[in-house]
Amino acid sequence: MFETQSLFAESPLLQGLNAEQLAAVTLPPEPALILAGAGSGKTRVLTTRIAWLLQTGQVTPGGLLAVTFTNKAAKEMLTRLSAMLPVNVRGMWIGTFHGLCHRLLRAHWKLANLPQSFQILDMQDQLSAIKRLCKQHQIDEERYPPKQLQWFIAGCKEDGLRAHQMSPRDEDQRRKIDFYQLYEAQCQREGVVDFGELMLRCYELLRDQDAVREHYQRRFRHILVDEFQDTNKLQYAWLKLLAGHDENGRFVPAGNAVLAVGDDDQSIYAFRGARVGNMADFVREFEVQHQIKLEQNYRSHGNILEAANQLIEHNSGRLGKNLRTEQGAGEPIRVFEAASDFAEADWLIDEIKSLLAEGWSRQEIALLYRSNAQSRVIETALFRAGLPYRVYGGLRFFERAEIKHALAYLRLLDNPNDDTSLLRVVNFPPRGIGARSVEQLQDAARALGCSLHDAASSLGGAAGTKLSAFVAKIDVLREQTEGRTLREIIELVLQHSGLLEHYRADREGADRVENLEELVNAAESFVLQQGFGRDAVALPLDETAPAGPGLTQSPASQGLDPQAPGFDAASAVGSLGAWSVQPDSGETLSPLAAFLTHAALESGDNQAQAGQDAVQLMTVHAAKGLEFDAVFITGLEEGLFPHENSQSDRDGLEEERRLMYVAITRARKRLYLSHAQTRMLHGQTRYNLSSRFLDELPESCLKWISPKQGGWGTGLGRSGSGQAAAAAQPAWGRSGLGDSGRGGKEAAYSGAGSVPAQKSAPAHGIRVGMQVFHNKFGEGKVLTVEGQGDDARAQVNFPRHGAKWLALAIAKLTPV
DNA sequence: GTACGCAGTATTTTT
DNA sequence: TACTGCGTAC
């Protein structure tokens, strides 16, 4: 059908691809959707597609746009691509949505109505800007918590809405919208943009500036989108503009070839605005003729895949996909029921130890949990056992307080109007400028209608003197750093700001001093990487392939940006000759500005414990996109996973199920699932039922295991009944392969009641032998009652569901 | 301007 | 439990 396909099918690039992958890689230049299941070689297809397009001359490096969500994914793509082709990958438009938007805004800052030196607010900065605004306008922070306002504003932007476009439903919403308006004005005044604004402002640029839009539409003949199921409304609209849809969403026939790659079953970010529905919309609006499913899984053994398939079957409205593998069934999935979260952690240690003894490697073992709070118990146990581990998530390098302080000084050099940064450091290190003085400064700035920086000289008194001195210090620093290298600038700032001195004087400041020194290193390597060094020479164009047969080449698409990605306004636009579009400034961004952007857009590694060979701990969300030989999914309990906040609506529950699906499909060879009967949560002991997701897995793939005798249960000192009962009952739980269904499971530990029988009449009025009613399980007979007060629990035998342990403080049991 | 203690509140997260 | 934010006391 397509000439190019047969023509280039011999390419070594295409070796080893399966039929579907090959079809995806060699699709004709038309809109297409790839449904890529977990472990189906999605990234390989994406990068091979790019390489193939380049190699066959269907597109030049400059004519291609590839979008991802994370920097990690973008980097991965670049790395693999440069391994496949001798192409200069640096100038290519491969990056995150936000990174690419940023690049466009830098190139067209005037048309986007931004100051040239605009700065990016991260979430912390955004929140403090919001808090400041709340104070200024005397907004009741009880009724309108800043966090909630932040959420609201981000949500509006994700939907592509400006304050003036919104009509309030009620008074409450009207005030939020008003606040949104105020916030926008403040950001504009201060020359800062938040993450959502990067996207929205760029969308508006493309929507409103015909010349700019048309230029890029002509340029990017091929657009590839990774993780398409995670796109939000705005990102989809942005793609439509670039692809050749007009602002009304009408399809323009000369649209570019958009290749969307995604998996509806792995959509786990609806809570932050992702719209799986974009996949169906895409098919409809782009009149997609080519849909390819990648269902061949190269990652997991059969049992694991089967479990994943069966679980996800419980969701409705799926696009429909079933993973298959050519690997054997492999081992059964091991399921473990622990008496408590502590016992669960002890069991983890035990299993990990035997895995290690069998020769599994530590970094190939992942411990997953639904929420971060669960990591603590596990960490404690790992620590005690002396097992090296690494926790994903948490503070990242550029988010550390001392680094943010240093960056704030640096930002003030570039943009003195950045009030958020000024407020961060105006009295840090302490220089006698208290809340009172800052308030006066803010009043003055408001009265004069200028930035805090400019208002400083207008104040009299002691406060005025101190503030003027601070501002003067910044201004002097700016002059001193003129024409210096980035390294010199940062070193000067660290010295003259007093930051280094301050932390050196601090008994516990050693780590922080180290981090500040690391900042200098980070800047240094950034400069080297980006070719900002003094003798940096523009790299030659690296055109590896001639123009393809009969395929249109726009003049603009021939230019491969030789400079650093994103920071050269001229190269952002491409070779301009034939086009009316000019970048707003011929100057390239200064190394400092570029570095500040880098810091904001890539908050760095969360190098908590960078131990090379360590067990990996992370939330299920963080595990997306990763894979491990052995995976433990812990805390499989109702209320935890699925999380209680998601259980009310079906969509929420289905997202939780997809989350579980993601978790399961991380495992290559061995998968463990565990839950605990009791768990400390928010300082309270909770009795959770096992997760419904366990019930939704095929029994034939599971194997219930019991703890090793005497190997655990004593290490962690919670003087709880659960622990004691478990230790006294080495044989409880089930042994060997699963009983029929979940029914008999709980009955197996009916003997756990080694707790003294009750003497006094219990307040809850539940007694052995009673018939009771439960909302979920219906009617049942009480077998055992134990514990008192909040700890009281009962074992009830339900005809349909078998015997269950229920916490009487939580479960509503009514005598029949 | 800082230090302490109390109350309220708890997902998931990238850019 | 553990963290944050706020108010009070020095």
Side-chain angles (χ1 to χ4, degrees):
Chain A
M1 60 190 220
F2 222 74
E3 209 186 341
T4 45
Q5 202 161 331
S6 51
L7 209 60
F8 299 101
E10 301 297 308
S11 165
L13 276 179
L14 308 178
Q15 299 296 312
L17 296 173
N18 68 31
E20 291 88 35
Q21 290 175 329
L22 183 66
V25 165
T26 58
L27 277 166
E30 289 159 27
L33 176 67
I34 312 289
L35 270 174
S40 63
K42 175 196 70 168
T43 311
R44 179 166 182 207
V45 165
L46 220 38
T47 43
T48 313
R49 166 79 174 171
I50 295 175
W52 183 78
L53 286 172
L54 291 170
Q55 200 183 48
T56 56
Q58 299 184 60
V59 71
T60 55
L64 192 142
L65 183 78
V67 204
T68 63
F69 274 88
T70 64
N71 290 306
K72 207 173 136 201
K75 265 184 213 146
E76 169 85 11
M77 227 147 125
L78 288 170
T79 315
R80 290 214 205 173
L81 193 56
S82 45
M84 284 185 199
L85 277 186
V87 68
N88 173 23
V89 119
R90 284 208 320 212
M92 291 179 68
W93 283 65
I94 295 179
T96 63
F97 275 101
H98 294 84
L100 297 170
C101 283
H102 170 258
R103 196 163 168 176
L104 286 166
L105 291 176
R106 285 286 176 207
H108 307 285
W109 54 273
K110 257 185 212 154
L111 288 174
N113 189 25
L114 285 170
Q116 189 172 11
S117 59
F118 72 87
Q119 305 279 344
I120 299 167
L121 292 187
D122 65 16
M123 294 224 301
Q124 273 178 59
D125 299 331
Q126 191 190 20
L127 189 62
S128 62
I130 286 172
K131 281 180 184 167
R132 181 153 48 88
L133 202 57
C134 281
K135 293 236 164 63
Q136 199 188 113
H137 292 272
Q138 279 124 32
I139 282 154
D140 180 4
E141 296 189 24
E142 297 271 276
R143 257 191 84 181
Y144 301 97
K147 277 246 175 71
Q148 205 181 300
L149 291 169
Q150 183 180 29
W151 182 256
F152 175 78
I153 291 170
C156 292
K157 292 188 180 183
E158 276 156 9
D159 285 345
L161 291 169
R162 290 290 181 195
H164 64 82
Q165 296 170 300
M166 304 175 68
S167 38
R169 254 198 333 269
D170 49 38
E171 175 62 14
D172 202 61
Q173 227 206 355
R174 188 189 63 78
R175 308 223 10 206
K176 281 186 188 163
I177 294 168
D178 287 349
F179 185 86
Y180 178 22
Q181 183 85 58
L182 288 170
Y183 170 78
E184 276 188 45
Q186 174 175 278
C187 289
Q188 187 66 29
R189 215 165 39 239
E190 295 173 9
V192 292
V193 295
D194 60 45
F195 287 129
E197 188 70 24
L198 281 173
M199 245 355 278
L200 182 52
R201 194 66 76 104
C202 185
Y203 165 78
E204 289 168 343
L205 172 76
L206 293 171
R207 183 193 62 191
D208 301 336
Q209 305 292 331
D210 297 344
V212 174
R213 181 182 63 254
E214 283 161 19
H215 169 84
Y216 288 104
Q217 283 176 345
R218 283 200 189 90
R219 174 175 178 163
F220 297 127
R221 308 309 302 186
H222 282 270
I223 299 175
L224 300 95
V225 192
D226 191 16
E227 306 277 16
F228 192 79
Q229 78 284 351
D230 287 338
T231 52
N232 62 35
K233 211 176 160 187
L234 178 60
Q235 285 158 339
Y236 181 52
W238 183 86
L239 283 167
K240 281 205 276 189
L241 285 182
L242 279 175
H245 278 67
D246 64 21
E247 64 269 29
N248 297 318
R250 276 196 304 267
F251 186 70
V252 177
N256 294 309
V258 178
L259 183 75
V261 181
D263 181 359
D264 55 325
D265 290 334
Q266 291 190 70
S267 153
I268 54 173
Y269 287 111
F271 72 93
R272 64 174 202 220
R275 258 189 99 248
V276 213
N278 284 347
M279 296 181 90
D281 289 357
F282 173 67
V283 170
R284 187 166 34 87
E285 294 179 340
F286 282 68
E287 296 161 24
V288 169
Q289 303 297 315
H290 313 276
Q291 277 197 60
I292 295 174
K293 287 182 188 175
L294 302 180
E295 299 179 297
Q296 176 76 42
N297 174 290
Y298 294 97
R299 181 185 294 158
S300 312
H301 284 163
N303 278 332
I304 294 169
L305 230 44
E306 163 107 22
N309 281 334
Q310 287 224 20
L311 176 92
I312 205 65
E313 281 277 305
H314 290 82
N315 271 5
S316 58
R318 296 173 57 224
L319 296 177
K321 197 169 36 46
N322 237 340
L323 295 176
R324 53 170 196 274
T325 179
E326 282 169 9
Q327 305 187 55
E331 303 174 354
I333 297 168
R334 292 159 163 83
V335 188
F336 180 71
E337 177 169 53
S340 68
D341 46 349
F342 294 92
E344 183 186 42
D346 282 352
W347 166 78
L348 284 173
I349 304 292
D350 248 27
E351 286 296 337
I352 292 167
K353 278 185 180 161
S354 42
L355 282 173
L356 294 176
E358 285 171 36
W360 299 62
S361 101
R362 276 198 283 265
Q363 73 251 39
E364 282 302 334
I365 301 174
L367 309 184
L368 308 185
Y369 35 81
R370 173 68 239 268
S371 66
N372 280 308
Q374 290 166 251
S375 77
R376 246 195 62 242
V377 178
I378 300 175
E379 280 187 70
T380 312
L382 284 164
F383 184 80
R384 288 193 188 204
L387 285 171
Y389 63 93
R390 182 193 158 161
V391 189
Y392 281 64
L395 264 199
R396 283 169 306 180
F397 183 71
F398 288 112
E399 290 168 356
R400 288 160 202 263
E402 62 276 18
I403 300 299
K404 296 272 303 180
H405 282 132
L407 292 174
Y409 279 102
L410 292 168
R411 285 164 71 141
L412 284 173
L413 298 186
D414 230 37
N415 175 9
N417 296 334
D418 184 344
D419 287 355
T420 303
S421 293
L422 187 137
L423 287 170
R424 175 179 272 275
V425 292
V426 67
N427 196 35
F428 196 93
R431 47 175 73 85
I433 301 174
R436 216 33 234 292
S437 313
V438 171
E439 227 167 85
Q440 281 173 19
L441 179 65
Q442 284 175 309
D443 288 341
R446 215 167 307 145
L448 294 166
C450 64
S451 67
L452 298 176
H453 172 274
D454 294 343
S457 56
S458 71
L459 281 176
T465 317
K466 283 178 183 163
L467 282 165
S468 300
F470 172 73
V471 166
K473 187 174 213 152
I474 299 288
D475 291 340
V476 167
L477 210 47
R478 185 178 305 112
E479 280 164 38
Q480 283 178 331
T481 52
E482 201 78 32
R484 304 284 188 129
T485 63
L486 183 57
R487 180 194 192 96
E488 288 165 343
I489 294 174
I490 296 179
E491 279 171 345
L492 270 168
V493 163
L494 292 182
Q495 285 296 329
H496 291 273
S497 64
L499 279 177
L500 268 184
E501 204 182 339
H502 174 82
Y503 286 122
R504 283 207 179 110
D506 187 341
R507 194 173 283 275
E508 274 141 36
D511 280 352
R512 299 186 184 268
V513 171
E514 223 171 87
N515 283 332
L516 287 174
E517 280 158 2
E518 186 54 37
L519 180 66
V520 180
N521 293 335
E524 192 74 0
S525 56
F526 174 77
V527 164
L528 287 175
Q529 237 176 50
Q530 306 296 324
F532 274 122
R534 280 193 175 139
D535 331 303
V537 184
L539 293 155
L541 296 189
D542 199 351
E543 298 287 341
T544 52
L551 284 161
T552 2
Q553 286 277 331
S554 80
S557 68
Q558 313 227 345
L560 167 55
D561 312 348
Q563 301 277 322
F567 304 118
D568 184 337
S571 67
V573 182
S575 48
L576 297 159
W579 305 100
S580 57
V581 175
Q582 295 290 329
D584 285 329
S585 162
E587 291 170 45
T588 55
L589 212 57
S590 75
L592 174 59
F595 181 64
L596 289 174
T597 297
H598 168 77
L601 246 32
E602 296 185 46
S603 13
D605 275 339
N606 23 14
Q607 33 167 20
Q609 294 86 4
Q612 284 278 309
D613 187 24
V615 176
Q616 316 279 307
L617 268 70
M618 66 195 83
T619 63
V620 180
H621 281 94
K624 190 177 170 199
L626 305 176
E627 56 182 276
F628 307 90
D629 284 341
V631 169
F632 291 81
I633 308 174
T634 68
L636 280 167
E637 293 141 43
E638 287 293 299
L640 248 192
F641 199 2
H643 197 275
E644 50 197 345
N645 297 0
S646 327
Q647 286 186 25
S648 47
D649 61 309
R650 202 189 63 187
D651 290 352
L653 192 62
E654 296 207 340
E655 177 145 323
E656 294 285 308
R657 193 174 282 112
R658 290 192 292 269
L659 204 46
M660 180 68 184
Y661 176 80
V662 168
I664 293 174
T665 52
R666 297 310 94 196
R668 283 197 279 256
K669 299 177 187 152
R670 191 178 283 194
L671 178 63
Y672 293 89
L673 310 175
S674 66
H675 75 273
Q677 289 181 282
T678 71
R679 182 177 295 276
M680 277 295 245
L681 199 67
H682 311 323
Q684 276 189 325
T685 306
R686 303 192 7 173
Y687 300 85
N688 295 320
L689 296 169
S690 68
S691 171
R692 70 191 72 189
F693 298 151
L694 280 172
D695 302 328
E696 292 170 2
L697 302 177
E699 197 75 27
S700 59
C701 300
L702 308 181
K703 177 185 171 191
W704 294 81
I705 56 176
S706 12
K708 298 209 169 61
Q709 299 235 349
W712 57 279
T714 47
L716 296 158
R718 173 146 61 88
S719 57
S721 54
Q723 191 86 14
Q729 291 280 330
W732 70 263
R734 50 172 63 181
S735 51
L737 285 160
D739 307 356
S740 56
R742 313 258 301 130
K745 187 183 64 155
E746 283 78 7
Y749 53 89
S750 62
S754 57
V755 176
Q758 308 243 187
K759 294 262 162 52
S760 57
H764 45 70
I766 301 294
R767 294 216 206 105
V768 176
M770 254 180 182
Q771 279 292 121
V772 290
F773 180 79
H774 182 270
N775 274 338
K776 184 176 162 195
F777 304 121
E779 254 182 58
K781 188 179 176 189
V782 179
L783 301 176
T784 325
V785 181
E786 63 175 51
Q788 285 180 338
D790 281 353
D791 286 338
R793 50 196 204 123
Q795 191 191 31
V796 185
N797 188 36
F798 297 101
R800 284 263 180 92
H801 306 267
K804 298 273 179 197
W805 276 104
L806 301 167
L808 296 177
I810 296 157
K812 279 171 227 105
L813 288 183
T814 32
V816 184

